[in-house]
Amino acid sequence: MKSLFVLVFAWLISLQSAALDTSDALNYYKLAYSLDEQGKHEEALSNYLKAYSLYGLDNPKTSAKILVNIGILFYNVQSYTRAIEFYELANKIHEPIQTYTFHNLGMAYSGQDKYEQALDYFEKNLELASSSSNQTQVSKTYLEMGIVSYEAEDYEGARFYAEEVKSRTEKDTLEIKLYAAALNNIANSYYAEKNYPLAKTKILECLSVFESRNIPYFKGHTLNNLGGTYKGLGLVDSSLYYFGLALKENQVANDIDETQISLSELADLYESLGEKDSALLYTRHLVDLFKSNSYRQIEFDKKAVGLRLETIQAKHLLEEEKGKSDDWVLPSILIGITSAVLILAPVGYLWRRSRRKSNL
């Protein structure tokens, strides 16, 4: 279980006495980035670590970027504790990286349902973005704060932050996706409160704006919520109609999670109406979706916990480094690393809104 920790630890202490080979380091970095984008996470991690071992503390800026990318890798498989550790380690090495890590730390704590800590980091990120006059990042941070408030069931707070985003982006054609997300989140907050009459009004307004301004984002998700709103109002025919529209929209957009919602709701509604054939049809489609290799799959080894990486060389490197010097790396960093036991559990990949964090 702890073998991965030994390997990562050995790579992170690196060979500081060796001359930095910038060419090799850059090649490992580029390869890791490419593998990460392809979803080949094991290979990406291995190459990120090789790049880090060559850059080391002689190039703290690039090394910090590598650590952030490793954190993102762990975040994407829901290993939020490990992601947090790498983000914080990056902060220690290169403080300016906080323009990325504060936002990512907020995301990771939100993934752990630690909403207060998440909001604290988003507040810090908001201060950095405001001080640098990065208005796009300010709007994105407000949006994330609204999402965290929504997840914490603070729907009034969710609307407050969404309204802030709306006012900032309404007339900016370059920020149309943020504007659409804000409209969508305002409407969804009433739906989550089960205030179905008001939810209906807000969702229809949202869809009207999407149509008039030719906004392609979040339409399937919003149609699903409208179907759910009519279901909550007891209007089954309207609910079936909008879930049907949502299904078509989500299939065209290849939005697997929203497609799953549409199929589930349609199956349940037809079941409640006693229309067994229709219920069975949508249930079969749902089963096919779950069987497809595109649904919540990850590339990590599913047969064992960890990355199936060799530990013998890692142990050898560790002993070799200990024998060289007592101050071969920053003690504070090593203390932080020794508290980590890096275990990648074979969990399903959780689609989490549309706010994927791109690599640095």
Side-chain angles (χ1 to χ4, degrees):
M1 291 289 186
K2 296 184 180 181
S3 60
L4 177 59
F5 161 67
V6 177
L7 178 61
V8 174
F9 180 77
W11 279 115
L12 289 180
I13 61 179
S14 72
L15 301 177
Q16 284 193 303
S17 60
L20 175 65
D21 189 331
T22 304
S23 178
D24 284 348
L26 183 59
N27 288 336
Y28 283 130
Y29 188 13
K30 288 181 177 179
L31 179 58
Y33 187 93
S34 176
L35 290 166
D36 202 357
E37 285 191 323
Q38 296 172 44
K40 298 179 180 180
H41 305 302
E42 293 182 33
E43 297 172 62
L45 177 58
S46 176
N47 282 278
Y48 275 136
L49 292 171
K50 290 175 183 178
Y52 183 90
S53 70
L54 291 174
Y55 280 116
L57 299 179
D58 291 331
N59 193 329
K61 181 178 180 179
T62 303
S63 292
K65 288 182 179 181
I66 293 171
L67 292 173
V68 171
N69 285 351
I70 293 174
I72 293 170
L73 191 153
F74 278 97
Y75 173 87
N76 284 339
V77 292
Q78 299 175 289
S79 186
Y80 303 122
T81 299
R82 307 299 159 246
I84 289 168
E85 289 169 353
F86 277 97
Y87 296 150
E88 291 179 340
L89 183 56
N91 288 343
K92 292 178 181 179
I93 292 175
H94 187 61
E95 188 171 315
I97 202 73
Q98 291 173 350
T99 55
Y100 295 99
T101 55
F102 281 164
H103 187 272
N104 289 2
L105 281 162
M107 296 274 289
Y109 278 113
S110 176
Q112 292 181 322
D113 298 335
K114 295 179 179 179
Y115 304 121
E116 187 175 346
Q117 292 96 318
L119 286 173
D120 284 344
Y121 274 105
F122 283 130
E123 286 282 3
K124 292 177 181 178
N125 189 67
L126 193 61
E127 291 177 11
L128 289 176
S130 298
S131 64
S132 62
S133 299
N134 188 339
Q135 297 306 316
T136 296
Q137 190 60 39
V138 168
S139 296
K140 287 181 178 179
T141 304
Y142 274 125
L143 185 68
E144 297 295 351
M145 294 173 80
I147 292 171
V148 169
S149 298
Y150 180 94
E151 292 175 343
E153 299 182 1
D154 175 12
Y155 302 118
E156 185 175 349
R159 285 191 287 272
F160 171 81
Y161 291 119
E163 289 285 359
E164 184 70 30
V165 178
K166 177 184 173 184
S167 66
R168 286 173 166 272
T169 58
E170 187 170 5
K171 298 180 180 180
D172 189 346
T173 56
L174 296 177
E175 303 294 356
I176 196 69
K177 188 171 185 178
L178 289 174
Y179 174 64
L183 288 178
N184 187 59
N185 291 352
I186 292 168
N188 289 349
S189 68
Y190 290 109
Y191 174 64
E193 287 180 324
K194 298 184 179 180
N195 185 344
Y196 297 124
L198 192 51
K200 173 187 170 184
T201 300
K202 292 296 183 180
I203 293 174
L204 288 172
E205 288 177 359
C206 183
L207 288 170
S208 177
V209 173
F210 286 179
E211 186 68 25
S212 64
R213 296 188 62 175
N214 196 29
I215 298 175
Y217 310 109
F218 311 113
K219 187 174 180 181
H221 172 69
T222 306
L223 285 168
N224 266 338
N225 283 352
L226 186 56
T229 296
Y230 279 112
K231 182 180 179 181
L233 291 169
L235 302 173
V236 177
D237 288 342
S238 294
S239 181
L240 283 170
Y241 174 74
Y242 283 107
F243 277 126
L245 288 182
L247 177 60
K248 292 178 182 178
E249 188 73 29
N250 290 319
Q251 287 177 329
V252 169
N254 196 30
D255 190 329
I256 296 172
D257 286 87
E258 291 296 330
T259 297
Q260 180 252 144
I261 292 171
S262 302
L263 290 171
S264 297
E265 291 288 355
L266 286 166
D268 288 345
L269 284 168
Y270 279 114
E271 180 72 22
S272 69
L273 293 172
E275 299 185 23
K276 305 295 185 182
D277 290 342
S278 294
L280 182 59
L281 174 65
Y282 286 109
T283 300
R284 283 175 174 166
H285 287 318
L286 187 62
V287 170
D288 289 340
L289 182 66
F290 276 100
K291 286 182 178 180
S292 71
N293 57 16
S294 62
Y295 187 77
R296 292 183 181 177
Q297 298 296 313
I298 57 175
E299 296 298 326
F300 286 101
D301 189 353
K302 297 177 178 62
K303 296 180 180 179
V305 176
L307 291 180
R308 291 182 175 271
L309 298 174
E310 295 294 333
T311 60
I312 297 175
Q313 183 183 10
K315 291 178 181 179
H316 171 73
L317 287 172
L318 185 60
E319 291 299 322
E320 186 176 70
E321 287 301 312
K322 284 182 178 179
K324 286 184 178 180
S325 173
D326 289 332
D327 62 345
W328 21 271
V329 78
L330 291 176
S332 60
I333 296 175
L334 289 179
I335 292 171
I337 299 173
T338 54
S339 66
V341 178
L342 301 175
I343 301 174
L344 286 176
V347 295
Y349 181 84
L350 177 63
W351 177 88
R352 198 164 174 272
R353 298 182 294 276
S354 63
R355 54 193 182 99
R356 286 281 177 258
K357 298 299 136 198
S358 62
N359 288 4
L360 296 177

